[in-house]
Amino acid sequence: MNKNSSNTMALAPNTSNKRETVCIFGTGDFGRALGHKMIQSGYPVVYGSRSTQISNLIPKDAEVLGHAEAAQKAAIIIIAIQRQHYNFLTPLAEVLRGKVLVDISNNLKLNQYPESNAEHLAQLLPGSKVVKAFNTVSAWALQSGTLDASRQVFVCGDDVAAKEMVMNIVRALGLTPVDKGSLLAAQEIENYPLQLFPMWKFPIFLSLGLTAFFFLYCVVLDIIYTYIYEKNDFSFFIAITIPNRVCPVMALILLALVYLPGIFAAIIQLYRGTKYRRFPDWLDKWMQCRKQLGLIALAFASLHAVFTLVTPLRAFASWRTGKGIISQALNNKTEPLDHTNAWLSDSYLALGILGFFLFVLLGITSLPSVSNNVNWREFRFVQSKLGYLALIMCTAHTLVYGGKWFLSPSAYKWYLPNIYILSLIVPCAVLVVKFVLIFPCIDKRLTQIRQGWERNPKYSKQSNHVINKSAV
């Protein structure tokens, strides 16, 4: 691996005492924050502005000049203004000829213009070397020292030497440059800050839909049914009891949905006898959002743990415990310990604790800061092997806890199954099919397919298509 690679890690900044002067056009929030950060890193900074009056907002060690005069003092000029104001640069074309112009602008919406802002700038000033950078870093991140924000800075441009100059500045600021190639990548880079959870829409909508369904399902069975047939008002169950039933159900189902697309992918590859054909679009999109589904499942599992811890503090729990004690006192009889129930209680609690621990481990290894420090085999072991173990633990936790209701007629109110029965359908199906897929005769064939073997070689002609990653 080339040790000078700029897109793998931030290299040590230039240790020379004298750094080249950097010019910044624009004295807005980002221009001021970037200038302040550069001065801290040892760069002389000169601002090009319409007004040359020194403001209290401008870093005290920076110089403020007119645009033309400021540009003459630096080889690198950072354009910290919006695209609609680029026209003032046209009269400065001769002054800016041969200089490196760093475009840091963003738009208000995705693909707002036919070409990127950086490409537009390059068209206005064909004699300059335009580089796109810094648009994914906020002024707040620069002011806070980038400790609580992303350290990556995407850089693209057609001139290799100009890009290297900009990436040296990025490294000197304590950030990590990522080379995205030519200026054609500028539009993609400009779209990054505008994407609002692009891979989260389907997981969030699915989670909201399932949560609403299971919540209403519990309201019908635990509140409406009880009020109609037993004349008991348990409407306060809406606050804690019902959420504490919905959260574990959602956590278990979403965790199973993380591994279900991998099951589908394996079946499709076995049926086709090749990996050189695209998966259906719905499956491809589903596999791409597995991480998001898993993190939402972890959130539901965490809520379940919190709700369970506060359950003994509820007035209803205290009332029910006191009622049992008074009943035993009035009857002058102490109920003996039910060892079977004690075993079941301790077992499902232990399974729940172990399952939640593995859940948290999966979530931690999903963080970029952690996943970037493990190799693919280690990451696959945690997310696949330990992931299935977490699914087994959580499924067993639900089976032990809700098993007593599965064959009890009283659990089927209005002939509807208990919510815990519904929650086991998807995870049990995933585990059963996965158990079949790991049979040596099937697993061997699937491994051969994922290593390039084909049952029908005619599909090798389609190998120029995008090859789907093997399902975990």
Side-chain angles (χ1 to χ4, degrees):
M1 182 180 293
N2 185 359
K3 294 183 179 180
N4 294 323
S5 176
S6 60
N7 60 349
T8 56
M9 59 184 299
L11 302 180
N14 187 5
T15 57
S16 63
N17 294 326
K18 184 65 176 178
R19 298 186 186 275
E20 65 271 19
T21 300
V22 176
C23 173
I24 300 177
F25 281 3
T27 55
D29 293 339
F30 189 85
R32 297 195 304 270
L34 185 59
H36 181 71
K37 186 70 174 177
M38 286 186 171
I39 291 173
Q40 287 182 331
S41 301
Y43 284 93
V45 174
V46 56
Y47 282 94
S49 177
R50 291 171 295 180
S51 174
T52 58
Q53 294 182 350
I54 299 295
S55 169
N56 292 332
L57 298 176
I58 301 295
K60 63 179 181 179
D61 294 325
E63 188 177 5
V64 181
L65 302 172
H67 290 111
E69 188 178 358
Q72 291 174 349
K73 286 198 168 189
I76 299 178
I77 302 171
I78 298 175
I79 311 297
I81 57 177
Q82 297 297 327
R83 172 175 174 149
Q84 56 267 30
H85 304 303
Y86 282 176
N87 290 334
F88 88 92
L89 296 170
T90 305
L92 302 174
E94 287 302 319
V95 178
L96 300 177
R97 183 175 297 277
K99 307 231 179 232
V100 177
L101 305 184
V102 184
D103 179 73
I104 66 172
S105 64
N106 284 316
N107 295 317
L108 298 177
K109 59 183 181 180
L110 293 170
N111 302 319
Q112 184 174 357
Y113 301 101
E115 72 286 331
S116 67
N117 295 343
E119 290 173 302
H120 176 65
L121 182 62
Q123 293 171 4
L124 287 177
L125 303 168
S128 302
K129 305 170 185 178
V130 177
V131 176
K132 186 74 184 184
F134 291 112
N135 70 300
T136 56
V137 181
S138 65
W140 172 85
L142 292 171
Q143 292 168 350
S144 64
T146 68
L147 294 178
D148 299 322
S150 173
R151 303 175 68 89
Q152 287 188 334
V153 175
F154 299 107
V155 182
C156 73
D158 293 332
D159 190 285
V160 176
K163 273 198 303 184
E164 189 60 34
M165 292 174 65
V166 175
M167 288 191 287
N168 285 335
I169 294 178
V170 173
R171 296 187 189 100
L173 299 184
L175 301 169
T176 304
V178 179
D179 191 345
K180 299 293 286 186
S182 71
L183 207 60
L184 293 175
Q187 190 152 33
E188 178 185 359
I189 296 176
E190 291 173 5
N191 284 338
Y192 286 158
L194 300 175
Q195 295 175 351
L196 182 62
F197 306 122
M199 299 302 298
W200 288 83
K201 292 182 179 179
F202 170 72
I204 289 176
F205 287 142
L206 176 64
S207 302
L208 290 177
L210 289 176
T211 301
F213 169 77
F214 285 120
F215 188 88
L216 293 175
Y217 193 88
C218 288
V219 168
V220 170
L221 296 186
D222 297 329
I223 297 178
I224 297 177
Y225 179 90
T226 305
Y227 183 78
I228 293 175
Y229 289 96
E230 300 176 10
K231 304 303 179 183
N232 290 324
D233 182 11
F234 288 154
S235 57
F236 58 87
F237 277 10
I238 291 177
I240 292 181
T241 301
I242 292 179
N244 199 27
R245 293 178 182 174
V246 172
C247 286
V249 167
M250 287 297 303
L252 181 58
I253 292 177
L254 291 178
L255 181 60
L257 291 178
V258 171
Y259 295 97
L260 184 57
I263 298 294
F264 285 142
I267 294 174
I268 290 174
Q269 288 178 335
L270 285 170
Y271 174 76
R272 291 174 173 175
T274 181
K275 71 171 185 177
Y276 297 108
R277 292 179 62 187
R278 291 185 62 91
F279 291 136
D281 288 340
W282 60 269
L283 180 57
D284 195 43
K285 293 178 181 178
W286 188 354
M287 294 179 70
Q288 291 176 9
C289 66
R290 288 180 294 179
K291 175 181 176 180
Q292 289 75 14
L293 286 171
L295 292 175
I296 295 175
L298 175 59
F300 277 111
S302 302
L303 285 174
H304 172 50
V306 173
F307 278 125
T308 301
L309 290 175
V310 303
T311 294
L313 303 177
R314 301 167 58 216
F316 176 71
S318 301
W319 170 82
R320 188 168 57 182
T321 302
K323 181 181 177 181
I325 295 173
I326 293 173
S327 176
Q328 293 185 57
L330 292 176
N331 295 327
N332 195 24
K333 181 181 178 181
T334 302
E335 294 291 338
L337 176 63
D338 186 345
H339 286 80
T340 301
N341 187 56
W343 265 106
L344 290 174
S345 176
D346 286 4
S347 297
Y348 84 75
L349 286 175
L351 290 169
I353 292 171
L354 292 174
F356 183 67
F357 169 77
L358 293 173
F359 234 133
V360 173
L361 185 60
L362 293 174
I364 292 175
T365 54
S366 297
L367 298 175
S369 58
V370 178
S371 60
N372 290 339
N373 290 308
V374 297
N375 59 38
W376 169 243
R377 187 174 183 181
E378 294 167 342
F379 181 80
R380 186 175 182 274
F381 172 79
V382 173
Q383 294 294 326
S384 181
K385 301 297 189 297
L386 296 186
Y388 271 106
L389 181 59
L391 182 59
I392 292 172
M393 290 288 185
C394 294
T395 304
H397 168 69
T398 306
L399 279 170
V400 175
Y401 177 76
K404 58 185 178 182
W405 292 309
F406 295 159
L407 300 178
S408 174
S410 62
Y412 295 86
K413 302 173 182 178
W414 280 329
Y415 302 101
L416 296 175
N418 189 278
I419 187 175
Y420 297 111
I421 300 177
L422 295 179
S423 69
L424 289 168
I425 296 175
V426 179
C428 286
V430 170
L431 292 175
V432 169
V433 178
K434 180 62 177 179
F435 179 74
V436 174
L437 290 175
I438 63 175
F439 282 179
C441 57
I442 298 177
D443 182 65
K444 181 179 179 181
R445 179 61 69 195
L446 185 60
T447 301
Q448 289 176 337
I449 291 173
R450 290 174 175 173
Q451 291 178 345
W453 178 87
E454 291 183 277
R455 183 187 305 120
N456 190 347
K458 71 179 182 179
Y459 290 122
S460 62
K461 298 178 181 179
Q462 302 177 7
S463 60
N464 58 331
H465 290 183
V466 176
I467 301 174
N468 294 280
K469 291 183 178 179
S470 298
V472 174

